[in-house]
Amino acid sequence: MTTDQVILRVVQLVERNRCSLQDEKRTQVDLAKVFADDGLNASREHRLSTNDIPDFFVDGVVIEVKIKGQRTAIYRQIERYCTHPEVKGIVLVTSKSILLPPSINGLPARVASLSKAWL
C-alpha cells in the first residue's frame, strides 16, 4: 500500500469503529483490535528514538492517539515524529477538536476523529 492508502485506511477504520473516548490506553487497546481484525499490520509503540515512541506504526505511517493534552504540545510531538527519516506520514487519532495542516515537514498529515463513530 502507498502512504496515502495507509493513511486513508487508518482514518476510515478509526472513524467507523467505536473506541473508548475516556482513557487513552483503552483507546489504544480498542484500536489494536480494530487494526488486527482488518488485517492491518500495526506495530505498537514503535521506537523512532529514545524519546519518540508513537502509539502505532504502519508501513512508515505514525498513528498517534491523543485524548487529552494541549493542542500546541500535541502538534510539537507529531511534528517531531515527522523529522525521522523512516516516517512517511502521520495520522492523529483524537476526540479533540483539532486541525492539522495537510502536511508537516513535507509529509502528509491527517486527523481521524474518534467521535465520528459515536454520532
Side-chain angles (χ1 to χ4, degrees):
M1 272 193 290
T2 68
T3 298
D4 289 338
Q5 289 170 326
V6 172
I7 290 172
L8 179 61
R9 187 169 171 190
V10 168
V11 170
Q12 289 173 339
L13 287 170
V14 169
E15 293 184 348
R16 278 194 236 142
N17 290 275
R18 290 182 174 184
C19 297
S20 174
L21 300 177
Q22 305 301 316
D23 177 76
E24 198 167 293
K25 291 298 179 190
R26 180 66 203 162
T27 305
Q28 291 172 13
V29 169
D30 292 348
L31 284 174
K33 182 174 179 353
V34 166
F35 295 153
D37 288 350
D38 192 66
L40 193 64
N41 187 18
S43 65
R44 294 278 308 265
E45 298 192 355
H46 178 85
R47 187 174 295 273
L48 298 171
S49 71
T50 304
N51 297 322
D52 293 334
I53 307 169
D55 298 316
F56 297 95
F57 193 76
V58 180
D59 295 335
V61 176
V62 164
I63 304 163
E64 183 64 21
V65 179
K66 289 295 179 193
I67 301 296
K68 298 177 183 173
Q70 295 180 344
R71 287 171 182 83
T72 54
I74 294 168
Y75 185 81
R76 280 194 306 269
Q77 180 181 5
I78 61 175
E79 183 179 42
R80 196 175 62 243
Y81 290 164
C82 289
T83 65
H84 293 276
E86 64 192 288
V87 176
K88 298 176 184 167
I90 191 153
V91 177
L92 173 62
V93 176
T94 186
S95 58
K96 296 176 73 65
S97 176
I98 188 169
L99 296 174
L100 292 180
S103 68
I104 299 173
N105 291 344
L107 303 177
R110 293 277 307 270
V111 175
S113 172
L114 285 164
S115 305
K116 204 168 204 172
W118 290 94
L119 297 176

